Amino acid sequence: MTMDTSDLNNSQGLEISIVIPVYNERENLTLLDEKITKNLQPLNKSYEVILVDDGSEDGSVELIRKLQEENPNLRLIRFGHNHGQTAAFAAGFSKARGDIIVTMDADLQNDPADIPLLLEKINEYDVVCGWRHKRNDPLIKKLSSTIANTVRNALSEECIADTGCSLKAFRRTCFKNIKLYNGMHRFFPTLMKMEGFTVTQVKVEHYPRLHGFSKYNIRNRLFASFKDLLAIRWMKKRQINYDIIEER
């Protein structure tokens, strides 16, 4: 998937864009909006929240429109049907106007209160990844994530403790030359490093899901991403590197 980078090349003065995929998360959206507002307003930074509806069927879109009436910082991108998380992120990135792009989930397991922690580190690095060091998930989900992270790091020669955590912050320039394909959101840190960007990680909170249900299970978390991992490994092994020592 190639992103439309026209907006990425024309920042419109905003400091922060928060990109959030939404798929049947109606019950979480009001509190999500309140928490983001509570934690972003004290920073005195201009920001927008881009909610990318990925084909929801539970009334999420209608609620987002209602929330927009009270909060001018909210933006809505609506898909005609479900395209997946990578597509939702890509659509949000292509329309983001902030100098810093923050990603997170809509299920409130990521805490907007941790966004300032990422923003502190973004002054030193190009990408800051959240690390859910104390997971609040069912045992099978924690087990599958542990296995997935271990396998990903081993085959991609990475050291990111929790690449599956959606809470991340990026400088907007990180996406200028990135081409995304389905499933590639799991490998943002590796893709950014391949482009020469610096990456770090910070510990963030993680909370149990209160409403709705997870869209991922051990089948689509492990098996569906394994082929993507092999593609990333191939890309790293075939990456072009050269050293120019003179040019006249």
Side-chain angles (χ1 to χ4, degrees), residues 54-172:
D54 190 17
S56 295
E57 300 174 341
D58 68 340
S60 290
V61 171
E62 290 76 15
L63 179 55
I64 292 171
R65 291 175 181 148
K66 183 177 180 180
L67 293 172
Q68 284 181 304
E69 296 175 3
E70 301 295 330
N71 186 352
N73 295 314
L74 295 183
R75 296 176 62 194
L76 168 65
I77 297 175
R78 183 186 181 191
F79 289 168
H81 58 275
N82 183 256
H83 289 280
Q85 196 170 9
T86 305
F89 278 133
F93 298 156
S94 71
K95 301 301 180 182
R97 298 174 295 182
D99 293 320
I100 304 300
I101 299 175
V102 175
T103 61
M104 65 182 299
D105 289 331
D107 58 12
L108 290 174
Q109 290 194 264
N110 294 144
D111 190 349
D114 286 325
I115 293 177
L117 298 178
L118 275 62
L119 297 179
E120 288 178 12
K121 281 292 184 179
I122 204 71
N123 293 323
E124 305 171 42
Y125 296 88
D126 299 306
V127 182
V128 183
C129 302
W131 170 14
R132 300 166 294 182
H133 63 294
K134 293 182 180 180
R135 294 289 298 271
N136 279 287
D137 278 324
L139 178 60
I140 187 63
K141 191 172 182 179
K142 289 193 286 187
L143 178 61
S144 65
S145 292
T146 299
I147 295 172
N149 277 309
T150 301
V151 173
R152 283 190 200 117
N153 284 338
L155 293 184
S156 63
E157 300 176 336
E158 274 293 352
C159 58
I160 300 298
D162 185 14
T163 188
C165 179
S166 291
L167 187 57
K168 296 180 174 72
F170 308 83
R171 296 183 185 272
R172 67 181 295 107

Side-chain angles (χ1 to χ4, degrees), residues 2-35:
T2 303
M3 291 189 297
D4 175 5
T5 58
S6 57
D7 286 345
L8 284 174
N9 295 326
N10 293 283
S11 178
Q12 298 180 25
L14 284 176
E15 295 175 87
I16 304 168
S17 293
I18 304 174
V19 177
I20 307 175
V22 175
Y23 182 48
N24 294 333
E25 296 287 358
R26 177 183 173 85
E27 293 177 298
N28 294 310
L29 292 175
T30 299
L31 185 55
L32 176 67
D33 178 37
E34 293 173 356
K35 284 179 172 287

